[in-house]
C-alpha cells in the first residue's frame, strides 16, 4: 500500500503539472484575444503631494476575463512578457495614456500620468520611434508622461538602456524607478540615468513607522534621492502613521489605498475638475 501510494503520488504530481501547463496555455491563448475582445481596462491610482494635492496618477492594467473574472496583472503580465504579447499590451496602454492626457488637457489640466513599461517592451529596437509616432498622432504632451521602469531593466545592456532613456528624455518623457530597493542593480547607475523619481516599494513602506529596519531603509533612500535631486514617491501607503513618518522624513508624494484605490480611468477622468461632465459615450476611451 505504502509503495503504491508513493507511485500514485508521483502520478498525481504529474497530473497536477500537466493541469498547470494546460491552464497556462489557455491563459496565453485567451490573453491574445484580450485586446480584440475589448477585455482590457485601465484603472488609475492617484498620487498626492505632501500637502494632499493631486500630483499625478498611475495607469494599472486590468483584464476582465469572461470566465475567470478579473485576472490580476501580477498573473498575466509575466505571461505576456514571456510570450511577447506584452508588446501589443504595452502599445495599447500607451495609447490609452495618450488619450487620457488629451482628455485631461481638454479640461485645462496637465496632471502627469505614469505608465509601467516592461523590460521587453522597452527593449524593442524601434521603441523610441513608436513612442514618438504615438505622441505625434495623438498630440499628447510628452512632458506629462512618466515611464515607470524596474531595476530589472538595468541589469543587462546598460549602455543601450541608458542611450534609449536619454533619447526618450529628449522627447520630454520622465523616468521613474518602480519598486525601488527590491532589485539587484548597483546604485552606481543612478547618476548615469536621466531620472525624475524613485518609487519606494510597498514592502518597505509597510514596515514604517514601527519597524526600525523599514524606517532606516526609507530614510536612506530619501537621503540618497535628495542628494541626486530625485523626487520620491512612496507606494502602498495604507495608514496615517505611515503618512506622518513619510512626510516628516521628506517624501515628496504618496500613493496607496489610504488615499485612493485604483479606479476605472474614464470615471476618474470624468471626476477631474469637470465644469462640464463628459458622458461616457463622448469620452475618448469609451
Ligand atoms: P506596480 O507598478 O508597483 O503597481 C502598484 C501596485 O500596488 C498595483 O497593483 C496597485 O493596485 C497596488 N497598490 C497600490 N496601493 C496599494 C496599497 O495601499 N496597498 C496594497 N496592498 N497594494 C496597493 P496592481 O494593479 O495589481 O499591479 C501589479 C503590478 O502589475 C504593477 O506593480 C506593475 O508591475 C504591473 N502592471 C500593472 N499594469 C501594468 C501595465 O500596464 N504594464 C506593465 N508592464 N505592468 C503593469
Ligand atoms: Mg508602477
Ligand atoms: Mg511598484
Ligand atoms: Mg510591482
Amino acid at each position: 500500500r505504502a509503495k503504491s501510494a508513493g507511485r500514485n503520488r508521483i502520478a498525481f504530481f504529474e497530473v497536477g503539472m500537466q493541469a498547470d501547463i494546460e491552464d497556462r496555455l489557455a491563459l496565453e491563448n485567451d490573453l491574445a484575444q484580450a485586446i480584440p475582445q475589448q477585455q482590457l481596462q485601465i484603472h488609475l491610482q492617484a498620487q498626492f503631494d505632501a500637502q494632499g494635492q493631486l500630483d499625478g496618477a498611475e495607469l494599472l492594467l486590468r483584464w476582465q476575463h469572461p470566465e475567470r473574472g478579473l485576472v490580476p496583472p501580477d498573473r498575466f503580465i509575466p505571461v505576456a512578457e514571456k510570450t511577447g504579447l506584452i508588446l501589443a499590451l504595452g502599445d495599447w496602454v500607451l495609447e490609452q495614456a495618450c488619450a487620457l492626457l488629451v482628455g485631461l488637457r481638454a479640461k485645462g489640466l496637465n496632471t502627469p500620468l505614469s505608465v509601467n513599461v516592461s523590460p521587453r517592451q522597452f527593449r524593442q529596437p524601434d521603441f523610441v520611434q513608436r513612442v514618438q509616432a504615438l505622441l505625434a498622432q495623438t498630440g499628447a504632451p510628452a512632458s506629462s508622461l512618466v515611464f515607470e521602469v524596474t531595476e530589472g531593466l538595468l541589469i543587462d545592456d546598460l549602455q543601450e538602456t541608458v542611450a534609449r532613456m536619454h533619447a526618450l528624455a529628449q522627447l520630454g518623457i520622465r523616468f521613474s524607478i518602480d519598486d525601488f530597493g527590491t532589485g539587484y542593480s548597483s546604485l552606481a547607475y543612478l547618476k548615469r540615468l536621466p531620472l525624475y523619481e524613485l518609487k519606494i516599494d510597498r514592502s518597505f513602506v509597510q514596515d514604517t513607522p514601527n519597524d526600525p529596519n523599514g524606517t532606516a531603509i526609507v530614510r536612506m533612500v530619501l537621503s540618497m534621492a535628495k542628494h541626486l535631486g530625485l523626487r520620491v514617491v512612496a507606494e502602498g501607503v495604507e495608514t496615517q502613521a505611515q503618512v506622518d513618518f513619510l512626510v516628516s522624513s521628506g517624501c515628496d508624494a504618496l500613493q496607496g489605498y489610504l488615499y485612493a484605490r485604483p479606479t476605472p480611468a474614464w470615471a476618474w477622468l470624468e471626476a477631474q475638475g469637470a465644469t462640464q461632465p463628459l458622458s461616457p459615450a463622448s469620452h475618448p476611451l469609451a
Side-chain angles (χ1 to χ4, degrees):
R1 185 74 183 92
K3 261 186 198 147
S4 75
R7 209 170 296 148
N8 281 344
R9 199 153 36 221
I10 292 172
F12 274 125
F13 179 59
E14 284 171 350
V15 167
M17 278 189 13
Q18 179 79 22
D20 276 0
I21 292 166
E22 275 165 16
D23 189 57
R24 200 185 165 87
L25 284 175
L27 199 71
E28 283 177 24
N29 278 331
D30 292 355
L31 191 54
Q33 296 304 312
I35 297 178
Q37 302 279 331
Q38 301 184 307
Q39 294 163 1
L40 296 179
Q41 297 163 8
I42 299 292
H43 279 40
L44 281 173
Q45 189 181 29
Q47 289 173 9
F48 298 87
D49 68 16
Q51 283 74 46
Q53 296 291 326
L54 180 74
D55 205 13
E58 177 178 9
L59 280 81
L60 295 162
L61 197 50
R62 297 288 177 264
W63 180 17
Q64 190 65 56
H65 188 284
E67 287 106 38
R68 295 170 195 260
L70 201 64
V71 185
D74 287 331
R75 174 114 171 82
F76 71 83
I77 295 286
V79 175
E81 267 274 325
K82 192 186 129 254
T83 56
L85 281 169
I86 193 68
L87 303 183
L89 258 56
D91 278 352
W92 185 81
V93 174
L94 275 174
E95 283 164 23
Q96 302 299 304
C98 287
L100 283 163
L101 285 174
V102 170
L104 281 166
R105 191 175 49 195
K107 297 173 164 224
L109 301 170
N110 61 355
T111 314
L113 295 183
S114 297
V115 176
N116 293 286
V117 176
S118 85
R120 185 157 176 181
Q121 183 186 1
F122 187 90
R123 292 204 171 97
Q124 291 174 98
D126 62 346
F127 184 60
V128 178
Q129 291 91 308
R130 298 175 85 86
V131 171
Q132 203 164 14
L134 187 62
L135 289 168
Q137 259 166 43
T138 58
S143 57
S144 298
L145 206 50
V146 179
F147 282 178
E148 293 190 4
V149 298
T150 52
E151 291 169 83
L153 181 67
L154 308 166
I155 288 172
D156 17 77
D157 237 347
L158 191 58
Q159 200 98 330
E160 176 63 33
T161 301
V162 172
R164 194 165 291 180
M165 281 175 80
H166 278 286
L168 289 161
Q170 209 90 72
L171 300 179
I173 290 168
R174 290 178 284 180
F175 282 94
S176 173
I177 307 280
D178 203 354
D179 307 338
F180 186 73
T182 61
Y184 298 97
S185 53
S186 103
L187 294 180
Y189 67 79
L190 283 181
K191 59 181 195 306
R192 292 181 53 195
L193 303 177
L195 292 182
Y196 162 65
E197 77 178 15
L198 303 179
K199 293 188 88 168
I200 304 184
D201 192 63
R202 184 170 81 223
S203 58
F204 304 124
V205 172
Q206 272 168 352
D207 285 343
T208 65
N210 295 325
D211 177 312
N213 293 327
T215 55
I217 290 171
V218 169
R219 286 208 176 97
M220 190 226 28
V221 173
L222 281 163
S223 129
M224 185 185 65
K226 288 289 143 301
H227 286 294
L228 292 166
L230 300 177
R231 171 183 137 105
V232 176
V233 182
E235 304 194 275
V237 177
E238 292 183 353
T239 69
Q240 187 59 43
Q242 290 165 354
V243 175
D244 296 342
F245 168 75
L246 291 162
V247 170
S248 67
S249 306
C251 197
D252 302 287
L254 307 161
Q255 183 179 344
Y257 292 170
L258 180 71
Y259 290 92
R261 297 243 167 194
T263 51
W266 68 266
W268 183 88
L269 179 59
E270 192 165 331
Q272 297 311 300
T275 45
Q276 252 186 324
L278 290 173
S279 71
S282 69
H283 189 270
L285 299 181

